[in-house]
Amino acid sequence: MGDKAHAHTGAAGRAATAGRPSSVRNVVLVGHSGSGKTTLVEALALAAGAVNRAGRVEDGATVSDYDEIEHRQQRSVQLSVVPVEWDGYKINLLDTPGYADFVGELRAGLRAADAALFIVSAAQEADAVAGATRAVWEECAAVGMPRAIVVTHLDTARTSFDEMTRICGEIFGGDDPDAVLPLYLPVLGPEGADGHAPLTGLTGLLTQRIFDYSSGERQENPPAEAQRPALQQARNRLIEGIIAESEDETLMDRYLDGAEIDIKTLVDDLERAVARGAFHPVLTAAPAAGGARQGIGTVELLDLITGGFPTPLERPLPDITPLHGASRPVLTCDPDGPLVAEVVKTASDPYVGRVSLVRVFSGTLRPDETVQVFGHGLTDPGHETRPFHEAEVRVGALSSPFGKQQRPLTACTAGDLACVAKLGSAETGDTLSDRDLPLLMDPWSTPDPLLPLAIEAHSKADEDRLSQGLARLVAEDPTMRLEQNQDTHQVVLWCLGEAHQDVALDRLRSRYGVQVDAVPHKVPLRETFAAPSTGRGRHVKQSGGHGQYAICEIDVEPLPPGSGIEFVDKVVGGAVPRQFIPSVEKGVRAQAARGVAAGHPLVDVRITLRDGKSHSVDSSDAAFQTAGALALREAAADTRIQLLEPVAEIQVLVPDDYVGPVMSDLSGRRGRVIGTEQSGPGRTLVRAEVPELEIGRYAVDLRSLSHGAGRFDRAYARHEAMPPQLAERIRGQQENNPNHS
């Protein structure tokens, strides 16, 4: 790998194309924010000839020029695809955000990829392999996805490749640290005045050749005598690691007997071990300096991708379900097979409109053909039921993405990626298939957004556009959930974090022309009677002509939690005519929905109508509705009304080191820890019940508490009585706020 001459097969401004699945490599870049993923993509694009100079295509757009929001936030906020060509192969580089708020974009990248590059920064040594990155590694391991590691920022003072390799071996290697070993060692130049030695090249451990970049061009030289002892030691360990993963059981015996294993055998075994996810090579890379085209390590990394990473033919397809009585086909990554493709990302272009990034798993996608679109409702509000939807859609123009550029394509074959313009109402996660063979792919998992953002339209003009803007926003992002809360009457965007919220507001304003204001999020409280009470509702008015006359007397008693409102009729002797009993119930229930003390719905009471009076002429449905409401209010005035708050059952998954701080934090939130249990090696699941008033920002606080390594789920458990002191404080706040609900 990396030891042969290369011609630059890419061309700036031209779309990279693939004629068959075996010539495609789909690679996702994963890493902590600031680890250098986008810089590495730019360096690889430059080395492959896809751009003319670092990160820049012919018309001046950059490969990192993905979103104006990214420039303002100084971070990547969405998945971006940069296709390049190398030695006759098309490589789709999927650059993912490293910030935890945009993990949905990362999950989409994992779905579209067949292998992963984990980028770790030597300059961030303490946090280089963050908890979130480790979790993604474990996800990839669970499905056998091939992985390699790239160490960046070795050109920074006080960095060590050996130390980073040791850390990666301990964390990523698990029980087998020898499955994580370097293929190349960095070559350092003379130390400067600051004691820092610059990176000038690499030493290939298998070929024992030095690839020197100090002149601006990649040159191959033999190692100096002083370098050979350290080189031989690292080489022996690498060979032993490769042989340990070899499918040839005789290779280890031959090696132990002192036989020389030829390089071709080692390289072939290395490539097979990498492709099946059994061995994880460590490399290093640095951008090109000055006018050089090839950055340090870029050629070696491109060779690893084309030689060691699997083709789409070697990766199993996601589970597929036939629909409408179709038989279950045996599908492979065959360009001539039935069409099965998936929308992995949806974005809006100000000139083109909605653009869908599609991965074709089987068949060939062509412009102007009609396909069936089926979806689970991955972006529908709630996520719980994932409502099914379908449509027949005509495919628009196909293009190959490159930063902001869209380069036209005539077709997209199995294993490849393409952007599709105007794909109707297709959403992220939807399946495209032939009309005569409707199929549905199982959805990938997305984290549940647990940070609420309540919003209001800034003006009447914004209010008219708000609904459409929000619908488009959540159609693009499956990790964003829209809720129109019936209890608090708020429009709530549920997000993954504060940066996610900022991007949502920015996109509403810049893409859809909708200005909104963030308002405090309201938790749906309830009210109930603390003790039995009685009330009399008298609605008697005579103002000339037809009057109003209704009197009713009720008893109210509290019921167990979860009972709702129970209405009982115990009127005798016709004191309230039968036709007006439903009117009293309607008035009582309407008043209960409005609340009787602090404006929150009344629950868990039995209301018994026991007596009343009517008038033969002036009694009416409306009069008895009013009398019922007045009776309930009078009953509430004569007893103590208790505020009820919602309690959530939460499950917090954290590394063992953070269990103590998490449990202490939950106790400080008036939480009750129900129990703990081990959930895999080194991780504990903490189950607790916590009032929802206390966990509005828990998504942010847990991330800080666990250094990004913890995650949690929540589910509504019940409403229960609020502590009296807190209830009084909330009542006081609402009395001072005339707009409270």
Side-chain angles (χ1 to χ4, degrees):
M1 293 182 183
D3 301 345
K4 55 182 181 281
H6 297 280
H8 301 307
T9 56
R14 178 174 63 81
T17 57
R20 59 192 187 281
S22 59
S23 65
V24 178
R25 301 293 185 274
N26 297 309
V27 183
V28 62
L29 282 77
V30 178
H32 191 50
S33 182
S35 59
K37 297 183 297 299
T38 300
T39 302
L40 178 59
V41 169
E42 292 177 346
L44 293 172
L46 180 64
V51 292
N52 293 326
R53 57 192 187 280
R56 198 160 290 277
V57 294
E58 288 180 341
D59 59 4
T62 65
V63 300
S64 59
D65 211 5
Y66 308 130
D67 195 311
E68 66 274 10
I69 298 170
E70 298 186 79
H71 295 295
R72 291 194 289 275
Q73 299 221 354
Q74 295 299 303
R75 62 165 70 97
S76 296
V77 301
Q78 62 180 357
L79 172 70
S80 298
V81 183
V82 177
V84 302
E85 291 183 20
W86 186 252
D87 280 351
Y89 296 94
K90 179 184 179 182
I91 304 172
N92 290 313
L93 298 169
L94 295 123
D95 184 15
T96 64
Y99 199 65
D101 280 17
F102 309 106
V103 67
E105 302 286 324
L106 168 62
R107 295 291 176 90
L110 290 171
R111 179 68 159 211
D114 302 308
L117 288 176
F118 280 74
I119 317 302
V120 296
S121 170
Q124 300 174 331
E125 186 174 299
D127 301 317
V129 190
T133 305
R134 301 182 200 184
V136 176
W137 180 277
E138 293 168 4
E139 285 184 35
C140 293
V143 297
M145 178 177 281
R147 286 144 285 154
I149 300 160
V150 181
V151 179
T152 58
H153 300 154
L154 278 176
D155 52 353
T156 306
R158 295 180 296 281
T159 56
S160 169
F161 180 77
D162 291 341
E163 178 63 13
M164 286 307 307
T165 302
R166 182 192 66 78
I167 291 173
C168 291
E170 289 180 355
I171 293 173
F172 294 143
D175 297 332
D176 186 12
D178 285 341
V180 180
L181 294 172
L183 291 184
Y184 302 87
L185 295 180
V187 176
L188 303 178
E191 287 190 1
D194 59 357
H196 171 56
L199 181 67
T200 61
L202 301 173
T203 300
L205 293 181
L206 292 181
T207 59
Q208 302 182 80
R209 305 293 289 176
I210 290 179
F211 304 99
D212 185 9
Y213 289 80
S214 59
S215 66
E217 297 293 332
R218 183 176 184 265
Q219 298 179 345
E220 183 178 336
N221 301 307
E225 285 300 319
Q227 296 172 308
R228 290 187 182 276
L231 172 59
Q232 191 62 48
Q233 182 180 2
R235 184 176 191 268
N236 290 342
R237 189 181 177 197
L238 173 62
I239 291 174
E240 291 169 7
I242 294 172
I243 292 175
E245 300 298 338
S246 174
E247 297 174 344
D248 184 350
E249 297 179 356
T250 69
L251 205 58
M252 181 61 78
D253 293 336
R254 289 161 50 196
Y255 177 74
L256 293 176
D257 289 341
E260 183 70 25
I261 310 299
D262 65 275
I263 291 180
K264 184 180 186 308
T265 298
L266 291 171
V267 170
D268 289 346
D269 276 352
L270 170 64
E271 291 180 348
R272 283 192 288 267
V274 171
R276 70 174 187 270
F279 187 83
H280 315 294
V282 183
L283 300 89
T284 186
R293 170 173 288 278
Q294 294 171 342
I296 297 174
T298 53
V299 170
E300 291 76 13
L301 187 52
L302 289 166
D303 283 345
L304 171 67
I305 291 171
T306 55
F309 281 169
T311 73
L313 294 168
E314 300 171 73
R315 298 291 298 161
L317 271 63
D319 290 338
I320 296 172
T321 303
L323 299 172
H324 303 331
S327 59
R328 182 181 294 274
V330 178
L331 295 175
T332 60
C333 186
D334 180 4
D336 297 322
L339 176 66
V340 182
E342 187 174 38
V343 179
V344 294
K345 176 180 171 58
T346 308
S348 292
D349 184 278
Y351 304 106
V352 180
R354 182 180 290 190
V355 177
S356 303
L357 176 65
V358 172
R359 161 80 191 251
V360 180
F361 288 92
S362 172
T364 300
L365 186 66
R366 295 181 175 86
D368 298 325
E369 68 180 358
T370 301
V371 300
Q372 289 292 128
V373 175
F374 297 96
H376 307 265
L378 195 63
T379 58
D380 284 275
H383 285 261
E384 294 87 354
T385 58
R386 299 187 183 277
F388 177 81
H389 56 266
E390 64 177 286
E392 193 171 281
V393 175
R394 185 170 175 269
V395 177
L398 298 185
S399 59
S400 178
F402 193 93
K404 281 189 174 180
Q405 306 305 305
Q406 299 294 328
R407 298 168 175 174
L409 291 176
T410 56
C412 181
T413 60
D416 205 357
L417 299 167
C419 284
V420 185
K422 300 178 181 177
L423 196 55
S425 58
E427 299 177 350
T428 301
D430 284 1
T431 304
L432 313 182
S433 61
D434 291 325
R435 284 186 291 178
D436 55 353
L437 184 57
L439 301 169
L440 180 65
M441 301 187 79
D442 284 359
W444 68 87
S445 63
T446 58
D448 194 14
L450 297 170
L451 186 66
L453 172 66
I455 57 174
E456 293 178 351
H458 184 71
S459 67
K460 181 63 172 68
D462 294 311
E463 190 172 332
D464 295 338
R465 295 190 297 265
L466 180 60
S467 178
Q468 185 179 20
L470 289 173
R472 290 182 177 179
L473 193 67
V474 297
E476 290 180 17
D477 189 350
T479 61
M480 192 175 294
R481 178 163 55 90
L482 177 63
E483 174 194 13
Q484 305 219 18
N485 193 290
Q486 299 302 312
D487 293 322
T488 63
H489 308 292
Q490 285 190 313
V491 175
V492 182
L493 274 177
W494 289 87
C495 302
L496 294 176
E498 291 176 309
H500 199 200
Q501 291 180 340
D502 292 343
V503 167
L505 295 176
D506 210 337
R507 284 179 176 164
L508 278 174
R509 180 175 59 253
S510 60
R511 289 186 180 179
Y512 307 120
V514 182
Q515 187 81 29
V516 297
D517 299 321
V519 296
H521 176 244
K522 299 176 184 178
V523 170
L525 303 179
R526 302 281 188 270
E527 300 171 357
T528 193
F529 278 55
S533 183
T534 62
R536 184 173 189 267
R538 184 177 185 274
H539 184 61
V540 177
K541 289 188 177 181
Q542 188 69 44
S543 56
H546 190 67
Q548 300 181 51
Y549 190 99
I551 297 175
C552 61
E553 297 179 3
I554 63 172
D555 296 328
V556 184
E557 56 186 310
L559 293 177
S563 300
I565 300 290
E566 183 179 328
F567 182 83
V568 179
D569 169 25
K570 287 191 176 180
V571 174
V572 295
V576 177
R578 305 311 302 168
Q579 69 268 28
F580 295 132
I581 302 294
S583 304
V584 177
E585 180 178 0
K586 187 175 180 181
V588 163
R589 290 188 179 275
Q591 184 62 54
R594 293 191 295 270
V596 293
H600 304 292
L602 178 70
V603 295
D604 303 335
V605 292
R606 177 184 293 122
I607 302 168
T608 302
L609 176 61
R610 56 178 170 79
D611 202 359
K613 292 182 181 180
S614 66
H615 189 277
S616 59
V617 176
D618 292 341
S619 291
S620 65
D621 170 67
F624 271 101
Q625 285 190 44
T626 303
L630 291 172
L632 185 58
R633 291 211 298 265
E634 182 178 287
D638 290 342
T639 190
R640 184 170 67 87
I641 300 300
Q642 200 167 47
L643 273 186
L644 304 177
E645 61 179 336
V647 174
E649 182 178 334
I650 71 170
Q651 299 185 77
V652 188
L653 184 63
V654 290
D656 294 343
D657 294 345
Y658 299 109
V659 172
V662 164
M663 293 176 66
S664 176
D665 178 70
L666 291 174
S667 297
R669 298 172 185 269
R670 298 190 287 125
R672 295 183 294 273
V673 175
I674 299 172
T676 62
E677 58 188 70
Q678 285 299 121
S679 181
R683 300 179 79 80
T684 298
L685 185 70
V686 180
R687 291 181 292 111
E689 292 183 342
V690 190
E692 290 190 11
L693 281 168
E694 306 291 343
I695 56 172
R697 289 182 48 82
Y698 194 60
V700 176
D701 298 338
L702 177 62
R703 186 180 299 167
S704 175
L705 187 66
S706 64
H707 293 185
R711 65 177 187 267
F712 80 105
D713 297 313
R714 60 184 281 182
Y716 170 77
R718 63 187 172 277
H719 273 74
E720 64 180 33
M722 185 183 293
Q725 303 91 330
L726 180 59
E728 287 303 318
R729 187 165 75 244
I730 288 179
R731 284 195 186 99
Q733 292 171 351
Q734 292 178 333
E735 288 171 0
N736 293 328
N737 177 14
N739 296 320
H740 78 269
S741 60

